[in-house]
Every structure is written in C-alpha cells, then in structure tokens.
C-alpha cells in the first residue's frame, strides 16, 4: 500500500480531465506525491464573526436572501441583500454579472452560507463576489484558516485544496524510513503526520520553513541526497580502477595557441596525481568564469585516451555541448581523434553512434543528458567530465558511473560552492581552484544604470564597434516572451533590423545553434536573448553585455552572465539596467557587482546578503537540486540527515521508496 503515493492521482480523484491537466501542470506531476508535495505558501483566514473580522480575513455568514437589486446601468453593480439570524443586513455585490445566474443561485427566501472578501460600509457589511455559496450545513468547513497554494491560470485554490484534501483523507499511514530513535531524539514528525500538518496550517507561522513538519520533509530530501551519495561511493568503490599515466603519445602533438596559466598547470598536476592513484578520481575544478577550465578537462581526457580509455563530457544544455564539441574539435585538429556529439534533439545516426561507442571507436563523446539514456554503452569509459555539475542530480551521476569501466569523475563549476554545501551536494570530493585568468585579460567594467536612461545607452552603444549581448529575463510562470520581443522590436528601430536577432530557450536547437554561429561570424551586432546564454557561451569579440531587470537576478547568475564578455583582450563592459524602485538590498547587490569581478567574493557576499533576509529562490542562486531544503542555510539539518543516513539500510524497501518519492523532484534538470 506504500505505493499509494507513487500512483497517478486521477485514480483517486474524480475530476474532469481538464482539471486533472491543470493540476498536473500546477504540481509538476500527477503522482499522488506530486500533489502532496505542493505546499501552501500562505494562509487565508475565514472569520465567522461579523463583529470582529480583519481586512485580511474573509467573512463567512449564513443569511436568508431578502432582496435583489438589478441596477439601471450595466456599469453599476448588481446587489443582493440578506439577513443573518440576528437581524444584521449583509449586501452581496457583483460587478460584471450574469443576472439570471445570480437570481438562480440566490433565490429570494433561500438560506445560504456565503463567504468572501468583506468590508464595512455605511449601509452595513458588503461581500464582493463571494468565493463560496453553499448550504448552511457547510458552515463549519469555511471558518478558520485554509491553505493558499501556488496556482496556474484557470485552476482555483478551492479545486486544488479539494484534490489534496481528498488524497489526504485516504492516505494510509506510511511506514517511516527514519528510525524511531531519531524521530524521538530530534523530535521530528513522522512522514504521514508531517504531510498532513503542512496542508492544514493554522497560523502563518505554520507556513515557515522552520515549522517542524516542513523540517521533516526537508530532512527527507537531504537524506535522499545523502543516500544517493553513499550509493555513488559504494558503486565507485566496487568498480576497480587502474592508474592512468600520461604517455605523451597524443599530448606531444597538441599545440595550443596559448600558454597554460599557473592555475591551469597546478590543476593538471592534481588530476595527474589522482589518475596515478588506484583510487577513483572524484575532483571538482572550481574556477571563475573565463578561467579556462575546458582546456584542462580536455588535456585530462587526452591522458585517459593515452591509457586506452574513452572519455565523455556532459554539458547541461545543447548550446553548451555544441560549443564544447566545436572547441575541442578545434584543439584536437591534428591529433587524429574520433570525437562525437550526442544530443536528444538529433537522433539521426544514433544507432551508428552507439555501435561506434560500443566498439570503442569513438574516443571522446560530448553531449547532454542524451548520453545518460538507456542503451548508450561505452567499451571502456575511463573519465567522465561534467560541466556545471550543480545542474545535474545525483541520480544522473549514478547512471553515468554505472556506464564506466574505470570511474573517474572530473567536474567543473564556475559557481564557487561553500564547503558545507559541497559536502551536502557531492559528498567527499577533492577540489582544485582556479583563481587567475589567462594573461592579457582586462577587467570587465560594470556600470549600473536606471532603465529610464535606455535611450542614452542605445546612442552610446551605436558608436561602439562591438558585438552586444542584450539579456532580458523571462517570466517563467507566464511563459511570456513579450519582454524579449518588445525589446528586440525597440532595438530594431534604433539599430537596423538586420543587426538584431533573438535567442531563447524555446527555439529549436538547430535554430539556436544557427543564430549563435551567425553572431560569432559577425553577421549581426545585437543578440537579444534570455538567460540561455548564461552558461559557457564563448564568443571572444562580444565585449558588451546589457542585462535588463538586473535586480531580478541572483549575484551568481549576474556574474555568470557577465562572464560572457571579456573573453578576448579588448576592454569590455557589463551594463546592469535596473527598474525603479530598487530595494536597499537590491541596490547593495548591484553595487557589489560593480565593485568586484571576483566570483568567489561575490558568492560569499551573496550568502551574507541573503542571510540578511532577502532569500533568493534556488533558481537564482544557481542550485536547482533541492526543493524543500537549502544546502547553504540548513547546516544542522544536513548533519542530521548525514547521521541518519549512516543508520539506515540502503537496500531496504522503505529507503528505495523514499528515493523514488524524491527521484523526480531532484533529478529534473533545467536544460
Ligand atoms: P571557463 O573556465 O569559463 O569554462 P573556458 O574554458 O571557456 O572558460 O575558457 C575561456 C576562454 O579562454 C576560451 O576562449 C579559451 O580558449 C581561453 N583560454 C583558456 N586558457 C587560456 C590561456 N591559458 N591563455 C589564453 N586563453 C585561454
Ligand atoms: Mg566553461
């Protein structure tokens, strides 16, 4: 019966198909657990006392309908009056009404329970557009606090609340995976109790992450991630490794157009040491944007190849995978290597690709999640390179390791990650840091300007002879691309239409690739885009980036975006456009961007500022791996989860079940 939570919710909910679809969209899934994991964000109070209710409350009353007043003008409201048992007059007001419908729903002399936004007027109490009209016997259900859920268009809170409540009513007691001793020791709620409590908040304190029920779910999530890390460790230790040594057979033919920086060299020393040891490599290269991580990973791949192994490079987006493919192809020009690229969007030669991979003909495979798919097997994979690892879930890493003959993992990240977070996300791993940038780079000059000065900015940009990135945020919920379309039209008028092109995430991969190439080749001047260019896009002579609504982005993300420029030796500029008014913290954050180019410093400061109360969403901070907990703020919970994880049986049914509950949440990857 455990599996109740994993079944599709429509088995239990007799709702219209259309409503089911809305719920699925809203809860990002249609398993029972997806609905139960859709937590309320606030509460709505309904008061039953007409003498004492606050502006924030809704009012619930039982009245007898005494009169209907249709207005003379369509623009005036339709009014229905009623009387409470103790003789108080209540007026129900409808703007934009359907008179026949109202007459039918609230017939004269009928007795109804009505609930909605209320306020006092000189003529008594008015309820405008009541959200509930029901028989009086329903009164008890509409008094007190009710949860308010995040919604999608056309789905009402009431419907979602009904669906979730119906599921809660039939939810069996779930056998707990956290041993009782920990439940007692840390005073945790059981899983079943936690879920039930979260959906019946009584006060606004019940909504906070500090609420014990919410903490319990956060611990479950962290526990899942700990369990997966243990699985990775165990799976890696079971596989035998052989040491790799550089033979120089391939590398002697490598001619790079530049000297490696000291940091790049010392990173490579670390990697060689790992390779030489019989222990599997598990190393993270942390290096600021533009520090030159790709070439380090490429040389590491060559060492693996020199030891008769294959290597693979996994990137979070197609744009990035294609770019890595091109860069690496170019660096490998006279090395006579077989390098292949695998993308979900292009399956044309998949069976041949798989064949070559299995035979070991393909030496380096570059790609996206497509590489993780079932049926993709290597002959002797000896090195996995993962770019921007925080975008991949633990489960995906596990999948990859299983494809490995000799599991060596090298990950690259431009987002500096605090130590506790590292442990929580990745478990034990060694870190190499790249602080210095290649010689000759000029620091990027950052300016902060109000969007009201946009025309001055455009005039100035017209005189500059450089390619320009123009980034607009996309409001994801509304899936609205209006911002970027409106902006590009505006820029069209100011530059010329053949100089302005758009790039966004909803475009087909081929289309994106084409636009980026044309931009690279200098066929147009301004690339208006969403944050799809955020990670890794590498175009040397784009020296200006304009970021609109800079106040909406997290510092880490702004820094990533800014890292798109300053990749050549020309002076470069980052223009942060903000929309008035700017909060104090917003101002501080943009000032910080202006004052430093050091991504590590920025990330520390970001944490401090966020500690000060302006907690950014996970999207913004760059970590999408977790939903209910936050590695950077939940040290104590991480410790608890770690402790618990050592005390539970990895292969038990309940642990498998736990991992499955969280599987979808934590491994949905932003592409
Ligand atoms: P990131 O660390 O952000 O992934 P990349 O690997 O994309 O950075 O490198 C940024 C740019 O710097 C690339 O165009 C790369 O060719 C160049 N680069 C890398 N190493 C050096 C170096 N030692 N000297 C000069 N340019 C370099
Ligand atoms: Mg990179």
């Amino acid at each position: 019966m455990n599996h109740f939570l994993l079944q599709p919710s429509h088995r239990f909910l007799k709702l219209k198909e259309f409503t089911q679809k809305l719920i699925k969209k809203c809860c990002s899934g249609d398993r029972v657990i997806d609905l139960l994991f859709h937590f309320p964000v606030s509460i709505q109070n309904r008061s039953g006392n007409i003498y004492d209710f606050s502006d924030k409350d809704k009012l619930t009353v039982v009245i007898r309908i005494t009169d209907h007043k249709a207005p003379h003008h369509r623009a005036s409201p339709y009014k229905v009056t009623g009387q409470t048992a103790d003789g108080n007059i209540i007026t129900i007001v409808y703007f934009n009404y359907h008179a026949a419908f109202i007459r039918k729903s609230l017939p004269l002399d009928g007795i109804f329970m009505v609930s909605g936004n209320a306020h006092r007027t000189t003529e008594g109490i008015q309820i405008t557009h009541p959200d509930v009209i029901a028989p009086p016997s329903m009164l008890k259900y509409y008094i007190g606090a009710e949860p308010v859920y995040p919604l999608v268009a056309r789905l009402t809170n009431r419907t979602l609340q009904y669906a979730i409540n119906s599921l809660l009513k039939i939810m069996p007691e779930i056998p707990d995976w956290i041993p009782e001793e920990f439940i007692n020791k840390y005073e945790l709620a059981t899983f079943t109790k936690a879920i039930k409590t979260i959906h019946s908040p009584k006060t606004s304190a019940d909504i906070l992450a500090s609420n014990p029920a919410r903490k319990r779910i956060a611990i479950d999530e962290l526990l899942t991630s700990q369990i997966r890390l243990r699985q990775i460790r165990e799976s890696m230790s079971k596989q035998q490794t052989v040491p790799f040594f550089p033979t120089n057979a391939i590398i002697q033919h490598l001619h790079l157009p530049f000297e490696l920086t000291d940091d790049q060299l010392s990173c490579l020393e670390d990697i060689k040491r790992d390779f030489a040891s019989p222990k599997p490599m598990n190393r993270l290269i942390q290096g600021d944007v533009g520090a030159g991580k790709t070439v380090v990973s490429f040389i590491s791949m060559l060492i693996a190849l020199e030891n008769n192994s294959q290597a693979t490079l996994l990137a979070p987006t197609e744009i990035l995978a294609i770019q890595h493919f091109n860069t690496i192809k170019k660096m490998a020009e006279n090395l006579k290597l077989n390098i292949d690229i695998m993308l979900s969007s292009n399956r044309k030669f998949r069976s041949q690709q798989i064949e070559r991979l299995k035979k070991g003909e393909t030496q380096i495979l570059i790609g996206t999640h497509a590489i993780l798919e079932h049926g993709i097997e290597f002959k002797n994979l000896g090195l996995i390179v993962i770019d921007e690892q925080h975008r991949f879930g633990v489960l995906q890493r596990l999948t990859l390791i299983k494809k490995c003959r000799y599991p060596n993992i090298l990950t690259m990240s431009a987002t500096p990650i605090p130590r506790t977070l590292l442990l929580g996300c990745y478990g034990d791993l060694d870190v190499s840091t790249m602080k210095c940038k290649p010689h000759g780079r000029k620091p990027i000059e950052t300016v902060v300007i109000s969007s009201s000065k946009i025309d001055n900015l455009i005039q100035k940009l017209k005189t500059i002879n450089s390619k320009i990135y123009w980034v607009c945020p996309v409001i994801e919920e509304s899936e609205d691309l209006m911002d970027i379309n409106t902006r590009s039209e505006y820029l069209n008028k100011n530059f010329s239409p053949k100089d302005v092109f758009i790039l966004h995430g909803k475009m087909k991969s081929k289309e994106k690739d084409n636009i980026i190439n044309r931009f690279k080749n200098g066929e147009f001047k301004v690339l208006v885009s969403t944050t799809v260019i955020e990670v890794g896009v590498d175009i040397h002579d784009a020296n200006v980036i304009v970021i609109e609504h800079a106040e909406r982005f997290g510092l880490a993300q702004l820094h990533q975006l800014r890292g798109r420029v300053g990749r050549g030796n020309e002076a470069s500029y980052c223009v942060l456009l903000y929309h008035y008014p700017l909060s104090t913290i917003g101002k501080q954050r943009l000032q910080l961007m202006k004052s430093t180019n050091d991504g590590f410093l920025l990330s520390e400061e970001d944490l401090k500022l966020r500690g000060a109360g302006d907690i950014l969403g996970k999207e913004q901070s760059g970590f999408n791996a977790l939903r209910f907990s936050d590695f950077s703020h939940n040290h104590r919970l991480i410790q608890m989860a770690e402790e618990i994880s050592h005390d539970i049986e990895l292969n038990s049914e309940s642990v498998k079940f736990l991992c499955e509950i969280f599987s979808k949440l934590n491994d949905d990857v932003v592409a």
Side-chain angles (χ1 to χ4, degrees):
M1 192 52 194
N2 253 355
H3 300 290
F4 170 73
L5 295 180
L6 301 175
Q7 288 174 39
S9 57
H10 57 75
R11 290 227 184 126
F12 309 100
L13 297 173
K14 291 180 187 62
L15 291 170
K16 283 194 201 116
E17 199 175 321
F18 177 69
T19 314
Q20 303 273 11
K21 267 196 193 140
L22 289 179
I23 290 182
K24 179 174 177 180
K25 186 169 170 211
C26 184
C27 304
S28 17
D30 66 351
R31 303 177 307 172
V32 169
I33 192 67
D34 298 324
L35 270 66
L36 298 186
F37 273 169
H38 194 71
F39 291 172
V41 284
S42 60
I43 59 165
Q44 171 66 61
N45 238 333
R46 286 185 197 269
S47 167
N49 185 343
I50 57 170
Y51 303 106
D52 179 26
F53 63 94
S54 85
D55 298 347
K56 286 188 218 127
D57 293 347
K58 292 197 179 191
L59 180 65
T60 305
V61 285
V62 172
I63 49 173
R64 190 173 57 81
I65 306 302
T66 53
D67 195 11
H68 276 245
K69 274 201 202 93
H72 298 300
H73 299 292
R74 182 73 202 158
S76 313
Y78 189 106
K79 291 183 179 175
V80 181
T81 33
Q83 238 178 33
T84 63
D86 45 7
N88 283 293
I89 305 287
I90 307 280
T91 310
I92 302 172
V93 182
Y94 288 96
F95 296 90
N96 234 334
Y97 50 88
H98 190 302
F101 180 75
I102 298 174
R103 257 180 251 124
K104 204 171 147 217
S105 336
L106 294 168
L108 273 182
D109 272 337
I111 297 183
F112 295 96
M113 180 210 84
V114 180
S115 184
N117 289 320
H119 56 274
R120 291 187 186 81
T121 68
T122 46
E123 297 155 42
I125 291 173
Q126 278 195 358
I127 298 183
T128 317
H129 289 257
D131 48 359
V132 192
I133 295 174
S137 59
M138 300 292 282
L139 182 66
K140 61 173 186 281
Y141 298 112
Y142 290 95
I143 287 185
E146 66 187 27
V148 176
Y149 293 99
L151 295 170
V152 295
R154 292 197 282 180
L155 182 64
T156 66
N157 196 58
R158 199 128 282 283
T159 308
L160 191 57
Q161 203 190 338
Y162 167 79
I164 290 174
N165 276 339
S166 316
L167 294 173
L168 287 175
K169 268 190 209 138
I170 51 171
M171 176 162 90
E173 186 73 26
I174 311 285
D176 215 307
W177 38 85
I178 298 192
E180 216 176 317
E181 71 173 281
F182 290 107
I183 302 253
N184 296 335
K185 182 169 160 193
Y186 293 122
E187 297 177 345
L188 302 174
T190 62
F191 179 79
T192 317
K193 172 105 188 294
I195 291 287
K196 289 191 168 158
T197 311
I198 287 169
H199 290 287
S200 46
K202 300 280 177 293
T203 68
S204 41
D206 292 344
I207 298 294
L208 301 178
S210 54
N211 178 281
R214 295 214 175 203
K215 264 194 189 157
R216 160 67 210 244
I217 304 301
I219 287 185
D220 280 338
E221 183 175 44
L222 292 164
L223 181 59
T224 315
S225 128
Q226 291 295 334
I227 289 167
R228 297 243 179 80
L229 291 171
R230 264 184 66 195
Q231 286 168 335
I232 289 191
R233 232 170 295 150
E234 286 187 7
S235 157
M236 280 178 86
S237 67
K238 267 193 215 124
Q239 277 160 295
Q240 54 160 16
T241 49
V242 294
F244 289 170
F245 295 101
T247 67
N248 238 0
I250 301 174
I251 293 177
Q252 64 174 327
H253 302 292
L254 175 68
H255 301 295
L256 293 173
F258 45 72
E259 296 273 307
L260 293 180
T261 64
D262 289 347
D263 278 353
Q264 285 172 323
L265 287 171
S266 94
C267 247
L268 278 169
E269 284 313 309
D270 292 343
I271 290 166
K272 283 180 196 164
R273 221 176 318 111
D274 292 346
F275 272 149
S277 128
K279 240 182 72 188
M281 165 160 79
N282 190 13
R283 180 169 295 279
L284 170 73
I285 306 180
Q286 266 189 359
D288 208 346
V289 244
K293 296 180 289 290
T294 317
V295 61
V296 173
S297 74
F298 176 57
I299 295 175
S300 317
M301 291 193 255
L302 295 183
I303 299 176
L305 264 49
E306 288 181 343
N307 288 265
N308 299 317
S309 277
Q310 293 163 292
T312 187
L313 168 61
L314 189 62
T317 65
E318 296 213 338
I319 292 186
L320 209 49
I322 293 167
Q323 184 181 293
H324 279 316
F325 180 67
N326 292 332
T327 315
I328 285 178
K329 267 270 217 233
K330 196 155 171 226
M331 287 196 278
E333 220 159 25
N334 47 16
L335 302 183
K336 302 198 185 70
L337 300 179
N338 290 322
I339 305 175
D340 200 359
I341 180 165
M342 196 175 273
L343 305 172
S344 314
S345 66
N346 183 356
R347 304 181 170 273
K348 217 167 165 191
F349 301 108
R350 191 56 48 93
S351 53
Q352 291 96 311
Q353 283 188 304
I354 292 176
E355 202 55 32
R356 284 202 300 270
L357 208 55
K358 253 192 209 155
K359 281 194 196 143
E361 284 170 17
T362 301
Q363 292 164 287
I364 295 180
L365 179 68
I366 296 166
T368 56
H369 310 89
I371 296 180
L372 301 170
E373 280 169 23
H374 192 72
I376 312 280
E377 281 165 39
F378 294 79
K379 181 170 180 226
N380 50 0
L381 180 59
L383 175 63
I384 300 169
V385 180
I386 306 179
D387 198 9
E388 302 296 339
Q389 166 156 313
H390 62 271
R391 301 198 170 223
F392 293 93
V394 190
L395 205 60
Q396 292 169 320
R397 273 182 278 160
L398 202 56
T399 315
L400 251 188
I401 290 166
K402 292 200 170 134
K403 293 181 192 279
C404 241
R405 177 97 172 257
Y406 309 121
N408 291 300
I409 306 182
L410 181 65
T411 58
M412 307 189 275
S413 174
T415 318
I417 310 167
R419 186 73 201 160
T420 37
L421 219 154
L422 265 181
L423 283 174
C425 278
Y426 310 128
D428 306 325
L429 98 181
D430 302 306
V431 182
S432 304
T433 305
M434 290 173 43
K435 284 212 158 162
C436 61
K437 294 217 178 153
H439 308 290
R441 298 276 166 81
K442 297 198 180 74
I444 305 163
E445 191 178 324
T446 302
V447 286
V448 180
I449 317 182
S450 157
S451 61
S452 60
K453 303 215 177 96
I454 194 164
D455 289 328
N456 295 355
L457 172 68
I458 291 175
Q459 288 318 315
K460 214 167 265 165
L461 290 178
K462 279 167 81 170
T463 66
I464 291 183
N465 185 23
S466 163
K467 291 172 190 164
I468 300 164
Y469 293 108
W470 193 293
V471 181
C472 303
V474 174
I475 306 136
E476 241 181 77
E477 276 95 75
S478 62
E479 294 172 2
D480 191 356
L481 290 173
M482 213 183 66
D483 277 1
I484 153 168
N485 287 331
T486 328
R487 182 54 73 218
S488 83
E489 269 163 36
Y490 192 76
L491 293 173
N492 268 341
K493 273 186 228 140
N494 282 281
F495 292 88
S496 87
K498 63 176 195 329
D499 256 343
V500 182
F501 281 80
I502 291 186
L503 183 78
H504 59 76
K506 299 220 155 56
M507 287 161 103
K508 292 224 173 67
S509 171
K510 252 205 190 122
E511 231 177 316
K512 281 192 254 184
D513 200 27
N514 179 27
I515 292 281
I516 288 197
N517 270 333
R518 290 175 60 193
F519 188 51
K520 204 171 207 166
N521 296 339
E523 290 176 36
F524 62 94
K525 177 164 171 159
V526 187
L527 181 67
V528 185
S529 95
T530 60
T531 52
V532 286
I533 61 145
E534 176 192 346
V535 259
V537 171
D538 188 30
I539 297 178
H540 289 208
D541 55 351
N543 294 316
V544 179
I545 184 164
V546 180
I547 305 172
E548 283 208 54
H549 278 291
E551 75 280 2
R552 290 195 195 161
F553 294 97
L555 288 183
Q557 205 179 6
L558 285 176
H559 185 63
Q560 271 282 349
L561 285 167
R562 177 167 66 181
R564 293 317 104 217
V565 300
R567 302 191 145 237
N569 294 332
E570 299 296 317
S572 51
Y573 303 90
C574 169
V575 182
L576 302 177
L577 281 181
Y578 64 87
H579 281 237
Y580 191 80
L582 202 52
S583 70
T584 318
I585 285 195
K587 215 173 275 167
Q588 275 174 311
R589 291 171 61 237
L590 296 188
Q591 281 308 319
L592 205 58
M593 283 298 297
K594 188 178 145 109
S595 68
T596 181
N597 268 308
D598 180 341
F600 286 63
L601 186 75
L602 275 172
S603 107
E604 276 167 29
E605 292 298 322
D606 198 15
L607 275 178
K608 276 191 213 151
L609 283 181
R610 289 197 283 149
D614 176 53
I615 296 179
L616 295 168
K618 287 183 194 93
E619 289 292 328
Q620 294 197 341
S621 64
F623 288 90
N624 332 61
L626 294 177
R627 172 159 158 193
F628 303 114
S629 38
D630 178 343
F631 283 126
S632 49
H633 289 93
N634 293 347
H635 300 186
R636 186 154 157 64
L637 297 189
I638 291 174
Q639 279 168 2
M640 282 186 209
E642 213 187 332
E643 191 189 337
I644 297 169
S645 80
H646 287 292
D647 222 69
I648 54 183
E649 180 59 52
L650 281 193
N651 292 319
S652 70
E653 280 304 308
S654 66
V655 166
K656 275 189 207 150
F657 181 63
L658 166 68
C659 288
E660 203 157 333
I661 291 182
F662 283 94
S663 66
K664 210 165 100 220
L665 289 179
N666 292 170
D667 289 294
D668 269 351
V669 167
V670 256

